[in-house]
Amino acid sequence: MAEPVLSLRGLRKNFGGLRVTDDLSLDVLPGELHALIGPNGAGKTTLINQISGLITPDAGRIVFCGQDVTATAAAGRARLGLARSFQITATLPHFSALENVALAVQARSGSSYRFFADASREEDLSAEAMRALQDVGLAHRADKLASELSHGERRALELAIALAMEPKLLVLDEPMAGTGREESARLVDVLQRLKGRFPIVLVEHDMQAVFALADRVSVLIYGRILMTGAPDVVRSDPKVIAAYLGDETA
């Protein structure tokens, strides 16, 4: 088996007397889309906050691309190539979709691009930004202000911003939240096209999307991993059905 891109070992996190992450270990392999599911209160947000560096675990180790990043802050992990989308990524409503992505390219590349300049004045930036927009199906909306995009399109724009950072690992926190059926289907199509380019950790309540996309699924219950396996194996496991999926298997 290939060396994991992300390795969590024995993570523990308490908030007061409540243990939210309980001796948790997990690997994310190169190129895989690894879904993390579980009921509300299972500790998913706390876990991805530890992965991205917003929260420091009380115990355990986090290794990213062979480097121990347990004590590395979020900005340092981002520089190493860990990108998190949809919660901490914010779009600029009065900038176009192209300008939003071009700013991310500038942040990564150190270009002389000026924050309030028109992205079209920087050909290299705009060309790279346009490629990211094409990847998420927004090239035809490049000139639209972010505020004029639909909710699902803004989700896709946030993904394009993350892609512009050339991630080695992409963490997606409920990308389908608040989207309608058609927009969710478009986002699933985008993620299907991106699979394999880099590993993805997907936290999502939409089980139809999870089982359509995931290479492996980990089920989190009360801060512990109940099981990790292929989607069909997880979906049919009696413990998972009893603890979380219920009618989702119907």
Side-chain angles (χ1 to χ4, degrees), residues 17-72:
L18 179 63
R19 178 160 292 181
V20 184
T21 306
D22 190 3
D23 195 27
L24 186 149
S25 296
L26 177 70
D27 288 332
V28 178
L29 303 176
E32 79 167 338
L33 194 152
H34 195 125
L36 182 66
I37 67 173
N40 291 329
K44 299 186 300 295
T45 297
T46 298
L47 178 58
I48 61 172
N49 282 341
Q50 291 172 87
I51 292 172
S52 58
L54 296 178
I55 294 176
T56 302
D58 297 327
R61 296 177 69 231
I62 301 173
V63 177
F64 175 55
C65 292
Q67 182 171 336
D68 191 325
V69 297
T70 311
T72 303

Side-chain angles (χ1 to χ4, degrees), residues 201-244:
V201 174
L202 173 67
V203 177
E204 183 53 61
H205 282 289
D206 184 335
M207 291 299 99
Q208 185 174 350
V210 165
F211 290 115
L213 288 167
D215 297 303
R216 289 196 299 160
V217 179
S218 289
V219 184
L220 186 63
I221 304 289
Y222 300 124
R224 286 179 171 267
I225 297 294
L226 178 64
M227 75 170 297
T228 295
D232 289 346
V233 174
V234 170
R235 191 171 193 169
S236 61
D237 187 271
K239 300 189 298 297
V240 176
I241 295 171
Y244 178 51

Side-chain angles (χ1 to χ4, degrees), residues 126-137:
S126 61
E128 192 166 345
M130 184 61 78
R131 286 193 292 271
L133 289 173
Q134 289 171 340
D135 283 342
V136 303

